[in-house]
Amino acid sequence: MNRLLSSLLILGLASVATSCSNRLAPHRDLLVGSAATEAPPPRADQVSVTYLGVNGYLIRSGATAILVDPFFSRVPMRHVVFKVPVQSSDTAIAHARRAGALPGRIDAFLITHSHFDHALDVPVLQKQLGGKVITSETGAYLCEAMGTSRSDLRPSRPGDLLHAGAAKIRVLAARHDLVLGSLPYPGLINAPLEAPPSTAADWRLGTPLAYLIELAGKRIYVESGGVVGHPPAVSGVDLAIVGTAVGDGKGRYAEAVRALQPRFVLPSHQDDFFNPLESGFHFSVLSDFPRIKATHAVEALPGRLILMDYFHSWPLP
Ligand SMILES: [Zn+2]
């Protein structure tokens, strides 16, 4: 077993031991939104953001709907450690579609990178909901091997400008967090695969991407993480969704938020994605939200810090 996997196993045991103290309740003053099933769909001049767990978001305005990194088929950590195939769960997807009040039609999927906790469920969801899949070349080959038609895939690079419904989507360069000092499952895929991806390790990182979504007069930046020294290349956004899966990343959060100059900041990818969605939000032992919160206050970072619970929907003011 390599170092990353044995570390994950230890962290898994630690997360079981701390599972009572890692909920959102102590931070309720930062929570925004209400149950998605009770929220009215946004008008064409409004934008709503629904949190779907991990780095998953539904972003809607009028008839336009965009899904970012939707991942519902949680798998136990032992499946990752012991290389058991990871698979989409129809039951988990059906539950998430109901709880997140997902519309019956999606304009686009945005994938920040092609690890399984971002891309595994995209081929199944795309078959159900339609829409184009905006992803790296690696992500496109993985989705194609899972049955997504080439005509629905938009392999993209930083600098690309795309449209989905009423949204303008700018593709931006990004980096992936180092997890316990390593880049998990690195690698590019640049030719069609002979067999569909099976284990977590088959879902290669590819080229990480971030996105700027311009919709109904609002600018939303979304990424799934990064490293210090590579701040986002956009500034002046209404909402910054900033990946903080591994805590502060030695100052990376502050650097990113200073660059983005957002009105609102939503730290993302902080939950334990080995827990079933139905058991509710639990911070992962790798995340360190108290440190993010302290950094935000002590460094007087721009933007109001917010949090969202699973399947809550928030009209972006
Ligand atoms: Zn990843």
Side-chain angles (χ1 to χ4, degrees):
M1 199 184 301
N2 71 27
R3 190 169 132 254
L4 174 64
L5 294 183
S6 52
S7 304
L8 281 173
L9 200 57
I10 292 163
L11 288 167
L13 295 171
S15 99
V16 170
T18 59
S19 64
C20 294
S21 59
N22 60 0
R23 310 300 294 257
L24 286 168
H27 311 290
R28 63 170 64 84
D29 55 318
L30 303 181
L31 287 169
V32 298
S34 56
T37 47
E38 284 155 34
R43 298 187 315 254
D45 60 347
Q46 300 171 316
V47 177
S48 73
V49 178
T50 304
Y51 182 45
L52 305 172
V54 198
N55 201 52
Y57 297 90
L58 167 66
I59 295 169
R60 289 183 82 173
S61 174
T64 299
I66 293 168
L67 273 173
V68 180
D69 288 351
F71 171 62
F72 309 130
S73 302
R74 307 276 176 105
V75 293
M77 186 185 286
R78 64 179 183 279
H79 287 204
V80 175
V81 174
F82 297 111
K83 301 184 179 159
V84 176
V86 294
Q87 287 169 335
S88 268
S89 155
D90 291 342
T91 312
I93 287 176
H95 165 74
R97 282 187 59 179
R98 278 193 306 275
L102 265 55
R105 198 191 120 267
I106 292 293
D107 291 288
F109 292 81
L110 308 187
I111 306 181
T112 59
H113 63 277
S114 42
H115 281 154
F116 76 98
D117 55 317
H118 301 258
L120 175 71
D121 287 333
V122 170
V124 173
L125 283 162
Q126 195 279 334
K127 266 196 197 89
Q128 296 178 359
L129 305 174
K132 54 192 154 198
V133 179
I134 298 170
T135 177
S136 68
E137 182 184 45
T138 296
Y141 281 120
L142 285 162
C143 289
E144 188 177 28
M146 294 293 291
T148 307
S149 136
R150 258 282 128 185
S151 61
D152 291 324
L153 291 164
R154 298 286 180 281
S156 300
R157 298 169 180 208
D160 287 355
L161 180 64
L162 300 128
H163 292 85
K168 199 160 86 176
I169 295 158
R170 208 172 287 279
V171 183
L172 304 165
R175 301 278 175 135
H176 192 282
D177 297 339
L178 296 180
V179 179
L180 305 164
S182 312
L183 202 54
Y185 310 130
L188 304 174
I189 297 168
N190 47 26
L193 291 165
E194 284 167 19
S198 170
T199 66
D202 292 337
W203 291 86
R204 293 280 148 188
L205 169 63
T207 303
L209 301 171
Y211 300 96
L212 178 68
I213 303 162
E214 296 180 72
L215 184 58
K218 299 284 197 303
R219 286 157 57 87
I220 300 174
Y221 169 85
V222 60
E223 56 157 47
S224 54
V227 293
V228 75
H230 299 275
V234 290
S235 192
V237 301
D238 294 285
L239 171 64
I241 298 174
V242 177
T244 53
V246 291
D248 194 359
K250 293 187 179 147
R252 191 267 160 178
Y253 171 79
E255 183 186 62
V257 175
R258 262 196 213 99
L260 289 161
Q261 294 290 317
R263 289 200 299 123
F264 295 92
V265 191
L266 175 57
S268 187
H269 207 326
Q270 303 189 95
D271 54 329
D272 178 355
F273 59 80
F274 296 110
N275 253 322
L277 266 168
E278 302 88 281
S279 72
F281 187 108
H282 295 74
F283 283 102
S284 144
V285 287
L286 282 178
S287 68
D288 188 354
F289 183 67
R291 183 172 172 187
I292 296 286
K293 194 173 172 180
T295 300
H296 202 94
V298 170
E299 303 211 16
L301 295 178
R304 180 181 145 202
L305 182 64
I306 58 169
L307 286 173
M308 291 187 78
D309 202 351
Y310 288 170
F311 303 122
H312 275 56
S313 181
W314 177 55
L316 177 52

